[in-house]
Amino acid sequence: MTFPTPYEVGLHVYSETARDGHGNPVAVYTPPLDEPGTPYAVIGWAITGTDEPALDGHDREITSVELLTPPGFPAVARDVIDLPADPAGQFEIVGAVKTSGPANPFGWNPGGVLNLERVEG
């Protein structure tokens, strides 16, 4: 049994193959962030929160999303996901995938949940 995957997102895989002039790692994405991500089918997603810090002089909005993925979805922390709508845009994966995997009492892997975050401003 599997859940349907009627939606598609783009995936940009993170790596630290480059270094800046000081020897610090520079984020490199494949494909680059200014190009569409590699398409993958997903179950869906939902906004789990929006926050604007209550500090004078700060103009920033943080949007959190949970992405529902099928088993074997290849994304990991620091990769970037392109969401096509509601909310559209690029979101970084925060933390590891949450999944019950094969070690659940029902004997099947329903998929996983990835936490996504975007900070604007």
Side-chain angles (χ1 to χ4, degrees):
M1 177 175 156
T2 60
F3 290 109
T5 53
Y7 303 101
E8 189 174 274
V9 298
L11 172 62
H12 302 269
V13 177
Y14 169 85
S15 66
E16 289 183 353
T17 57
R19 299 276 174 182
D20 66 13
H22 301 285
N24 299 315
V26 174
V28 175
Y29 294 93
T30 306
L33 295 178
D34 61 350
E35 297 177 11
T38 305
Y40 283 94
V42 296
I43 299 164
W45 60 86
I47 297 173
T48 56
T50 58
D51 187 32
E52 185 174 333
L55 300 170
D56 289 339
H58 287 223
D59 184 19
R60 163 176 76 175
E61 183 176 321
I62 302 169
T63 305
S64 301
V65 173
E66 284 187 339
L67 180 67
L68 308 175
T69 63
F73 192 77
V76 295
R78 300 188 78 179
D79 288 349
V80 170
I81 298 289
D82 295 333
L83 291 182
D86 301 323
Q90 293 185 326
F91 291 78
E92 184 174 340
I93 297 173
V94 180
V97 64
K98 294 184 281 185
T99 182
S100 62
N104 65 56
F106 306 107
W108 65 284
N109 182 355
V113 177
L114 285 171
N115 292 319
L116 310 179
E117 185 176 89
R118 177 175 65 197
V119 179
E120 296 178 294

